[in-house]
Amino acid sequence: MIRKTISALTALMMLLTAFVAAAETAPEPDYTTGTPWLYVDLIGNVTEETEANLKDNFALAANKEKLLKLEIPTGYPCIGIGEERVLQTQKDLARMFTEGTAVTREAKLAFNLYALLTDWDTRNAIGVAPLKEQTDAVERIASLDEMNRYFTEVAPEEQLACPWSCSGEEDSTSMGQWVISICWSELLLSDSAEYANETPSGKKQREAKTLLAKNMLVKLGYTEAEADAKIEACLSFERLLAPTVYTMEEQTVTGFEARSTNPRTREEVAEAGGRIPLLAYIEKAVGLPAFDRYNVLAPENLAALSRLYTDENLEMIKSYVIVHGVIDRAGDLDRESYEWKYVCDHVDFGEVTIPDDAASFSQYVTDRLPWAVARLYSETYLKPEDKERLTSLAEDMVAAYHRIIEEAEFLSDETKAKAIDKLESIRFLILYPDDWTPYSYDGLEIKTAAEGGTVYDAVTAIWRYKRLQKAAAFGKVPEATLWTGVSTPQKVNCNYDSRNNTVFVGGGMAGGSMYNSEMRDEEVYGKIGFYIGHEISHAFDRSGAMTDKNGNRVQWWTDGEMAAFMEKNRKLADYFSAIHPWEGVSWNGDTKTGEACADMGGMKCMLMLAKEKENFDYDLFFRSYAECHLLKLTPEYAMAAKFPDVHPLNYLRVNTVLQQFDEFLDFYGIKEGDGMYLAPEDRVNIW
Ligand SMILES: [Zn+2]
């Protein structure tokens, strides 16, 4: 069922008009001018007439027929093999809620929340009343002292927003020790660079958030002029803070970890905060203990915030709190607010269609109560024989990495021994945990509508539960076998967590085109196997080289080895900087090196395993690898989401990786002069 109210449509039309106006001022780029390869993922770039030769552009040749058939569904900015799998798991989750029943206590929590979310009569009857109570409370604040009482005496989940945040965690410079991190101010725009140089996608985001905030404020009883003034005050405050908030690029380049590690004592934190009640906020509101190890991630941001935190700026601070709050909580209210919020959150995705409730709210419950849903999902959809097959594959891959490390000419024997020790200590979390007891939500209650429960209160209760859990866990080393803090089985994803030296393989990957029980080994190697290899490689990329097997951030290589590694990393960065998806677009190649290194390491590992197999079908393997990166997307989405992403673009993950290996070049007879050829001396594979 597709529902749209007039107001959501109006919101959408305003956004589209703004977007068209922006597009009219700049000439349309020629998207077919990519070098050294055509950007094949981009909608419209590949047609029947496009010449495809696997020696020149393997991603194009291997995926051409599939690309021609692939259609981006309405309401989405892209579609590909990963997205299809995500859509399938979403359907599976929705089916669980619409057709399944709750047996366990935590399943009942999930079903209660789902029932509250889909009960539009109650939600519409309540309207924005719970939010209005909170905005009114902030409006009544008349001095900075009262503002301080708000930030320290109201529980964080009941505050609308706060211009600083903190979290208690194990110290990544010394695992087993704990630290309280103070994070930089959250801004309305996801990249602080947008405040100095607004891009078309930043403009769209700003306009979408502004529109949502304005609609909400007017609905809460503000006049249009008051709403405009409030939003402008919030943005003025953010423009003052933005130069001190790390940009997306700063957060992804080499050296960021060191830059954001700034140890402070309790006294230093109190002093840096000025009139900001930082310690009282941390201890009274968040519930963390009085402690003596702090890390200020962005000291300049804290300094700016403390300069701006004055009685004169009270209205600006209140505006920040209110505007952020109404944007954050719009989705938990009536239908109209929910739809405004949905349109705003999906502004990068082209035309927005509100999905049906089952799809939307099964995902919503999954995001809020991930472990309750995880157990239901695993028991419904995942198979022990798949877990066994992938576990055994991971063991083979560890053996292959042994040899990769042994053969690395830039490491001493001593460092190789440490690398192998780290490799053997990697813990694999494959598909789902064996024991579900640690994943219950003991103590959490979600009241049904009949018991007086509302979505708003349920979401607040979940936040409170999670905050108290985190506060209680502070200082205690978590059980090594725990999956919490990593990821949940329903995720279509794999990842490597350097703090725990774990490789996670999401259950959402299993059962479809990324992996299924019927697949031949060649396909498994080219798809899910490659991803597992990619994740293992993160233990030895530019950040893995600075993290030991216990998750401590220490350099465990000699300076000479590190220099040799960084030289390889620089060559890899230069190689990516020279690539252009279309004329006029460039990026800092260093932002891609961590993921590109992992891609190449993953491929090398799979090729090693392939060598041990008799009659291995290399064509099927390489084509499976290309298919695994199949994607069709809009240029807007490419610019907004894919260019800033730390992963190379999909077609580049195919072409730049394969051309590093003789196994690939020789198998297809690729020679100098072919588009896929890369001379041995120009290759950039680190491992
Ligand atoms: Zn990765």
Side-chain angles (χ1 to χ4, degrees), residues 494-496 534-535 538 541 594-595 598-599 647 653:
C494 297
N495 68 43
Y496 171 74
H534 168 111
E535 300 308 339
H538 275 312
D541 68 5
E595 294 302 327
D599 277 352
H647 298 85
R653 296 185 76 173

Side-chain angles (χ1 to χ4, degrees), residues 201-237:
S201 115
K203 180 168 187 274
K204 255 205 301 178
Q205 203 188 34
R206 177 174 54 76
E207 287 167 347
K209 295 235 167 153
T210 301
L211 179 64
L212 171 60
K214 183 164 179 179
N215 282 336
M216 289 304 298
L217 290 170
V218 170
K219 195 170 170 130
L220 286 160
Y222 293 88
T223 65
E224 289 208 12
E226 285 167 346
D228 287 338
K230 212 154 264 303
I231 295 163
E232 185 43 41
C234 171
L235 285 169
S236 304
F237 188 53

Side-chain angles (χ1 to χ4, degrees), residues 44-167:
N45 264 5
V46 178
T47 65
E48 292 282 1
E49 284 70 46
T50 311
E51 238 178 86
N53 182 335
L54 54 81
K55 294 186 183 192
D56 290 323
N57 183 342
F58 190 78
L60 167 62
N63 286 339
K64 182 177 172 186
E65 293 310 313
K66 295 179 197 100
L67 278 166
L68 290 174
K69 284 195 201 109
L70 210 54
E71 273 185 49
I72 301 179
T74 321
Y76 290 86
C78 63
I79 187 70
I81 193 168
E83 289 70 22
E84 280 177 346
R85 189 64 207 140
V86 170
L87 292 177
Q88 185 56 49
T89 57
Q90 285 170 352
K91 279 186 198 149
D92 292 343
L93 288 169
R95 211 167 55 222
M96 256 169 34
F97 284 103
T98 50
E99 295 171 15
T101 45
V103 180
T104 61
R105 199 193 72 89
E106 68 267 19
K108 280 183 186 133
L109 293 175
F111 274 76
N112 280 1
L113 180 58
Y114 182 82
L116 288 173
L117 286 160
T118 49
D119 179 0
W120 285 114
D121 290 343
T122 307
R123 290 180 70 169
N124 288 335
I126 296 166
V128 293
L131 181 60
K132 179 141 177 46
E133 232 176 82
Q134 289 187 302
T135 51
D136 285 352
V138 176
E139 286 298 358
R140 283 193 297 272
I141 292 171
S143 68
L144 204 62
D145 287 339
E146 283 180 36
M147 192 84 239
N148 281 356
R149 277 202 288 280
Y150 177 79
F151 285 133
T152 55
E153 288 171 15
V154 176
E157 59 276 3
E158 285 170 35
Q159 293 174 16
L160 278 177
C162 183
W164 59 83
S165 63
C166 71
S167 71

Side-chain angles (χ1 to χ4, degrees), residues 642-661:
K642 286 287 179 175
F643 294 174
D645 188 2
V646 289
H647 298 85
L649 301 176
N650 285 44
Y651 76 115
L652 294 176
R653 296 185 76 173
V654 178
N655 289 353
T656 64
V657 168
L658 291 177
Q659 65 175 176
Q660 309 299 322
F661 298 97

